[in-house]
């Protein structure tokens, strides 16, 4: 078993014993299993897939890092949400706002920030629609 902690600036999102976790690393998906070689790597906007007692759960995360050492895995992220915590109307509004900004490209637009906002909203909506 692995001990997984997911922490955000606001809360300890999760602290449990698990069998495996799969995250979206910057170079693709990464699975962490028991007795893995130590690693620390950045994450991208995506999902954390948690396998525990033969079941799978998913949460949406925003960027951050994952660190695995001595069967303890820590994910530090700006935000994490279970599907039932996602406010669909808020996510839809954020998606529409980001799409408008990217389509209109007003002076001074931080394109990378607008693209990240769009990716976050899409990730949240996709996860909510799955459940």
């Amino acid at each position: 078993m692995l001990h997984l902690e997911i922490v955000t600036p606001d809360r300890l999102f999760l602290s449990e014993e698990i069998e495996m976790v799969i995250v979206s690393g910057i170079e693709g998906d990464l699975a962490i299993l028991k007795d893995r070689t130590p690693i620390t790597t950045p994450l991208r906007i995506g999902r954390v897939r948690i396998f525990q007692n033969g079941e799978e759960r998913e949460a949406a995360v925003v960027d951050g890092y994952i660190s695995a050492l001595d069967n303890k895995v820590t994910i530090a992220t700006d935000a994490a949400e279970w599907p039932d915590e996602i406010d669909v109307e808020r996510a839809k509004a954020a998606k529409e706002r980001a799409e408008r900004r990217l389509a209109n490209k007003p002076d001074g637009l931080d394109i990378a920030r607008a693209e990240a906002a769009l990716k976050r909203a899409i990730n949240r909506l996709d996860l909510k629609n799955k459940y």
Side-chain angles (χ1 to χ4, degrees):
M1 295 293 271
L2 296 166
H3 185 80
L4 173 63
E5 284 191 355
I6 301 175
V7 296
T8 73
D10 300 330
R11 64 181 171 157
L12 176 60
F13 180 75
L14 178 81
S15 180
E16 295 181 4
E17 298 298 314
I18 64 161
E19 296 155 5
M20 176 175 65
V21 62
I22 299 175
V23 295
S24 298
I26 59 170
E27 295 185 19
D29 288 350
L30 174 68
I32 306 289
L33 298 162
K34 183 178 182 221
D35 297 327
R36 190 198 192 295
T37 301
I39 187 171
T40 298
T41 190
L43 300 177
R44 62 184 164 89
I45 296 166
R47 298 181 191 165
V48 173
R49 297 173 54 204
I50 301 160
F51 296 84
Q52 182 181 41
N53 301 321
E55 295 187 13
E56 178 183 358
R57 295 186 289 168
E58 287 185 286
V61 296
V62 177
D63 300 320
Y65 288 86
I66 186 168
S67 177
L69 179 65
D70 298 330
N71 292 318
K72 180 177 180 188
V73 179
T74 303
I75 296 173
T77 181
D78 289 335
E81 293 175 288
W82 297 114
D84 63 346
E85 295 176 321
I86 295 171
D87 181 335
V88 173
E89 295 308 314
R90 186 171 156 244
K92 284 181 182 177
K95 179 179 180 275
E96 291 168 4
R97 190 170 45 253
E99 287 172 336
R100 273 195 313 275
R101 284 189 169 152
L102 288 166
N104 297 333
K105 294 186 179 146
D107 288 341
L109 175 67
D110 183 340
I111 292 176
R113 184 176 173 180
E115 287 174 342
L118 180 58
K119 288 176 186 175
R120 285 191 305 270
I122 290 170
N123 183 52
R124 294 172 73 228
L125 289 169
D126 285 350
L127 180 61
K128 182 66 174 182
N129 288 335
K130 184 176 179 178
Y131 294 92

